[in-house]
Amino acid sequence: MRKPIIAGNWKMNMTPSQTVKLIEEIKPLVAEARCEIVVCPTHTCLFAAKEALKGTDRISLGAQDMFYEERGAFTGEVSCESLLELGVRYVIIGHSERRQYFAESDETVSKKVTKALEKRLIPIVCVGESLTQKQRGVTNETVGLQTRLALFGVGAGNAEDVVIAYEPIWAIGTGMTATSAEANGTIRRIRGVLAEMYNPETSRKVRILYGGSMNAGNAGELLSTSDIDGGLIGGASLKSGDFAQIVGNLS
Ligand code: PEP
């Protein structure tokens, strides 16, 4: 009942011309895909990506961040309205790299989620524990709190549209992956938190992805679990063949 999503987070990689080339490579490889596919280039590559995606409805466009105000004196920030005009449907919010390097807080994540939903962008909200938090045994508490704070004030009707990405920080870009049992278990706990916040039906509808060194080799096992509804892929999304192979697990 939950349509899986494979989303590529290209991070600060790819110029506009490289973006077009990668999209042209991916397009034929995922022509038969049945899951939702999202690519998230940098803001400066979104226009090129939009043009390259013309003629296909297989791949949607996502952004890597947005600001919660609509316009004004916020140098360097990007509004939802700009993203919508560029054909963006999804927006990653609260990625651990933004939390770590750019002072993204639970409060700004919450404001961005609220604004994205108001503007009908689909937020992909990232939550995940650090290595220390994992070692101290507080993974569930950490991601539970992040989820509660990110969705604070969001009603049940809107919550169904939110996509959550469970991304253990220690697994991002490190080559270390959570086992499928670990990832599925934590995602089930997030679903439990959603059931407490809203109701069991809403919690069953929300799509929750896994992210953290997912690649062509380990995606099959992770994606075959009961509660992992897809992946947010960093490194492996920059290689068309690997990305398509990950997508292929859901076709
Ligand atoms: C990410 O940046 O969201 C991510 C999961 O990266 P990687 O796949 O490279 O670990």
Side-chain angles (χ1 to χ4, degrees):
M1 122 182 142
R2 298 186 295 266
K3 190 164 186 192
I5 305 176
I6 297 294
N9 174 14
W10 292 2
K11 311 196 185 194
M12 199 178 74
N13 296 295
M14 300 287 148
T15 63
S17 60
Q18 289 165 345
T19 292
V20 172
K21 186 167 174 284
L22 185 54
I23 287 176
E24 292 303 343
E25 279 173 26
I26 293 172
K27 275 201 292 195
L29 300 179
V30 299
E32 306 300 322
R34 278 190 297 215
C35 62
E36 276 181 47
I37 302 169
V38 184
V39 293
C40 306
T42 56
H43 288 142
T44 47
C45 293
L46 287 170
F47 182 75
K50 179 190 180 201
E51 294 297 302
L53 288 172
K54 275 188 180 151
T56 175
D57 57 3
R58 281 274 163 270
I59 306 173
S60 302
L61 200 49
Q64 296 175 18
D65 192 22
M66 51 158 279
F67 195 50
Y68 51 78
E69 295 290 352
E70 300 203 4
R71 67 189 61 79
F74 303 104
T75 304
E77 290 298 333
V78 173
S79 69
C80 287
E81 219 168 306
S82 284
L83 296 179
L84 287 164
E85 211 173 296
L86 288 166
V88 169
R89 286 192 56 215
Y90 291 82
V91 59
I92 299 172
I93 296 177
H95 191 280
S96 64
E97 288 153 14
R98 299 232 43 102
R99 294 181 193 251
Q100 184 181 351
Y101 303 124
F102 303 101
E104 186 84 270
S105 66
D106 288 321
E107 193 185 339
T108 55
V109 167
S110 160
K111 286 180 174 174
K112 289 180 181 186
V113 170
T114 301
K115 181 56 72 178
L117 289 167
E118 183 193 317
K119 294 292 176 183
R120 313 233 44 89
L121 280 168
I122 301 172
I124 302 177
V125 183
C126 301
V127 298
E129 82 285 6
S130 67
L131 185 57
T132 308
Q133 287 164 331
K134 176 183 162 60
Q135 287 165 342
R136 304 262 153 94
V138 293
T139 295
N140 289 332
E141 289 81 351
T142 304
V143 298
L145 185 61
Q146 287 172 335
T147 303
R148 283 181 193 279
L149 292 173
L151 271 63
F152 183 78
V154 173
N158 277 333
E160 288 174 10
D161 297 330
V162 172
V163 176
I164 295 175
Y166 166 54
E167 299 209 303
I169 298 168
W170 51 269
I172 296 178
T174 59
M176 289 195 288
T177 316
T179 65
S180 55
E182 265 174 347
N184 195 53
T186 305
I187 285 175
R188 284 180 76 104
R189 294 300 290 262
I190 295 171
R191 231 177 262 298
V193 168
L194 294 172
E196 281 168 26
M197 289 178 76
Y198 300 104
N199 54 66
E201 201 196 331
T202 301
S203 112
R204 274 195 296 273
K205 285 185 180 162
V206 173
R207 290 174 296 176
I208 310 182
L209 317 181
Y210 168 77
S213 297
M214 192 188 274
N215 58 41
N218 60 28
E221 197 183 327
L222 286 157
L223 296 172
S224 65
T225 52
S226 61
D227 281 69
I228 301 180
D229 302 319
L232 181 55
I233 325 287
S237 71
L238 296 170
K239 297 178 205 127
S240 53
D242 289 17
F243 188 63
Q245 240 180 293
I246 295 169
V247 168
N249 287 290
L250 295 169
S251 299

